Amino acid sequence: MSDEFPLLEGLGLYASDIIGDGECLFRSFSDQLYGNQAKAHEIRQRTTSYMREHADFFKLFLSVPPTRRKKSANAATPSQDAVDRAFTDHVNRMERSGVYGDNLEIVAFARCYAVNVKIYQREFAYQISCDDGDGQSTGTTTTTPQLLHIAYHSWEHYSSVRNSDGPHTGLPNVSPKALTEAAKKQQKDALERTVEILPWMEKVVAASLPNAISVERVREMLVKCKGDVNMAVSRLLDAEEEEEEKEEEEKKEREEEEREKEAGEPSEAVAEVARKGKSKDKADRKAGRAAAKPIGDGKVGPEQAKPRARPKKETARERKDRMQREKMERKKAKAGPTAGGGGTAVDHSTDALAEDIKTLHV
């Protein structure tokens, strides 16, 4: 079931397509009377002429702002001249093509053509009668006034109503079906599931906010709040405050960064990048050490043999002692043992060796 016109669908009706060029009301009347939209201009001219002929009646329904007296803040009832001018201006404007008609023009049309008009909206329908209140039709005399059916969309557009089963062209011959219990339930579910956002709701919300706001954003919030105007205003005000606070924080951050740049100090962002770089280097070194560790059960294989230890560097003292020992061993090897006087030879060798050692130490 349609969320826009659940009432129509429950009655076996639908809102047909009507061109939206400012003539939609009169095009809808034309479709209902003649089965097409071609007579819209003719109906407009005849309706406005009827309004001029019955000016005293229609002036009663015209909204005219009160007249303010000079040097006085009090508003007086609009003068007759003001009412006459307002009515003339209204009819002159309504005679022009592309000007939207409204309830006043529906009343004039119904009385001029001696028909009753039923206007369907989302949740209800109401009827405008050609009867002037005394039971007499003010237009062409008919026994039973014809009933025309039109639909009013929330986006300020009128459509001609037709039967869902047809005909879809030509004279509509609208025949509403009885509303069944199942249709009533479907209609109720559709009404509870969605909410109709009317133009006045959007205007009230927009006028209640301190700053300009797009219609799309207002409508979106109204949908979220299910048509609750007060809630929509409250949430939009909260959203504006949050946006202002966020902008203020961003402004402070920019000013802080500029001051740090002027002082030659790294900004928080730069410091954060540096910290991340250090952390990455540390992680890379750790990963390198982990890669150098033996893999598997820890046993050293041919590929994992430990490198040979480097020889310890010889100190000067150790080198001197080594050279001394080598020299003594060479002299001892040259002297060797003698055949007859081994003792003398030994003593002589010992004395010579002692002398050499003394010389080396000196």
Side-chain angles (χ1 to χ4, degrees):
M1 177 168 285
S2 169
D3 290 336
E4 184 179 16
F5 289 115
L7 176 60
L8 277 180
E9 289 199 19
L11 297 172
L13 307 174
Y14 74 97
S16 63
D17 292 334
I18 296 293
I19 300 172
D21 57 354
E23 302 283 335
C24 57
L25 176 62
F26 301 102
R27 287 182 180 278
S28 298
F29 290 151
S30 177
D31 187 67
Q32 288 287 303
L33 285 175
Y34 306 108
N36 59 69
Q37 304 178 36
K39 299 280 189 178
H41 182 71
E42 177 185 320
I43 294 173
R44 178 189 285 272
Q45 297 305 314
R46 184 174 169 182
T47 300
T48 52
S49 295
Y50 183 87
M51 293 174 72
R52 288 186 187 279
E53 294 170 3
H54 301 81
D56 291 341
F57 175 79
F58 289 103
K59 286 177 184 178
L60 299 174
F61 303 97
L62 197 65
S63 177
V64 181
T67 304
R68 290 192 177 277
R69 298 173 181 174
K70 294 182 178 180
K71 299 181 180 180
S72 175
N74 296 326
T77 303
S79 64
Q80 187 60 44
D81 289 341
V83 174
D84 292 342
R85 285 195 303 272
F87 178 76
T88 300
D89 292 343
H90 178 83
V91 176
N92 288 341
R93 184 172 60 86
M94 195 56 59
E95 283 179 332
R96 298 196 298 268
S97 298
V99 177
Y100 291 92
D102 208 341
N103 270 6
L104 192 61
E105 286 66 48
I106 296 176
V107 172
F109 167 80
R111 294 170 70 87
C112 177
Y113 282 83
V115 295
N116 296 335
V117 182
K118 191 169 187 178
I119 301 100
Y120 295 85
Q121 294 193 17
R122 183 172 183 269
E123 302 180 25
F124 62 91
Y126 63 97
Q127 183 170 310
I128 292 178
S129 175
C130 63
D131 195 326
D132 63 358
D134 58 2
Q136 299 296 322
S137 174
T138 58
T140 304
T141 303
T142 57
T143 305
T144 303
Q146 182 182 358
L147 180 60
L148 307 185
H149 303 260
I150 63 175
Y152 177 71
H153 302 259
S154 60
W155 34 282
E156 299 182 347
H157 178 73
Y158 287 96
S159 290
S160 175
V161 172
R162 287 180 172 268
N163 301 316
S164 298
D165 299 334
H168 305 294
T169 58
L171 290 173
N173 298 323
V174 178
S175 300
K177 296 179 180 179
L179 195 62
T180 63
E181 291 300 323
K184 288 180 181 179
K185 185 178 184 305
Q186 289 181 348
Q187 178 183 343
K188 182 180 178 181
D189 292 342
L191 292 174
E192 291 178 351
R193 183 173 60 252
T194 59
V195 63
E196 182 183 20
I197 306 302
L198 300 175
W200 70 264
M201 297 179 180
E202 298 172 352
K203 293 178 182 178
V204 170
V205 172
S208 302
L209 299 173
N211 301 318
I213 188 172
S214 66
V215 177
E216 291 76 13
R217 189 174 179 187
V218 171
R219 175 174 285 273
E220 180 183 358
M221 185 57 70
L222 281 169
V223 171
K224 289 181 179 179
C225 298
K226 295 185 177 181
D228 190 325
V229 173
N230 293 330
M231 184 183 295
V233 171
S234 177
R235 290 189 178 181
L236 287 171
L237 287 173
D238 292 342
E240 285 189 2
E241 290 180 2
E242 291 177 0
E243 290 175 0
E244 290 176 357
E245 291 176 358
K246 184 177 180 181
E247 290 177 359
E248 187 66 24
E249 290 178 359
E250 292 176 351
K251 182 180 178 182
K252 289 181 179 179
E253 290 178 359
R254 289 194 298 269
E255 292 175 351
E256 183 67 23
E257 290 178 0
E258 291 176 359
R259 284 196 297 269
E260 289 178 351
K261 288 179 181 178
E262 292 176 357
E265 298 177 359
S267 64
E268 183 63 25
V270 174
E272 181 65 20
V273 171
R275 285 195 295 270
K276 289 183 178 179
K278 291 180 180 179
S279 299
K280 186 176 184 302
D281 292 341
K282 185 177 180 181
D284 291 343
R285 290 195 298 271
K286 186 176 181 181
R289 290 195 298 270
K293 292 181 179 180
I295 302 173
D297 56 3
K299 295 181 179 180
V300 179
E303 300 84 0
Q304 300 170 339
K306 294 183 179 179
R308 184 177 297 176
R310 296 177 62 182
K312 185 178 180 181
K313 189 175 181 180
E314 189 178 34
T315 63
R317 179 70 180 178
E318 290 173 343
R319 184 171 60 255
K320 186 176 180 180
D321 292 343
R322 178 177 57 78
M323 292 174 65
Q324 183 179 350
R325 286 194 302 272
E326 290 176 353
K327 186 176 181 179
M328 289 174 64
E329 289 175 357
R330 284 195 301 271
K331 286 186 176 184
K332 186 186 288 186
K334 286 181 180 180
T338 58
T344 305
V346 171
D347 292 341
H348 175 74
S349 298
T350 303
D351 293 339
L353 182 59
E355 184 66 24
D356 291 339
I357 292 173
K358 183 178 180 181
T359 303
L360 286 172
H361 280 288
V362 173

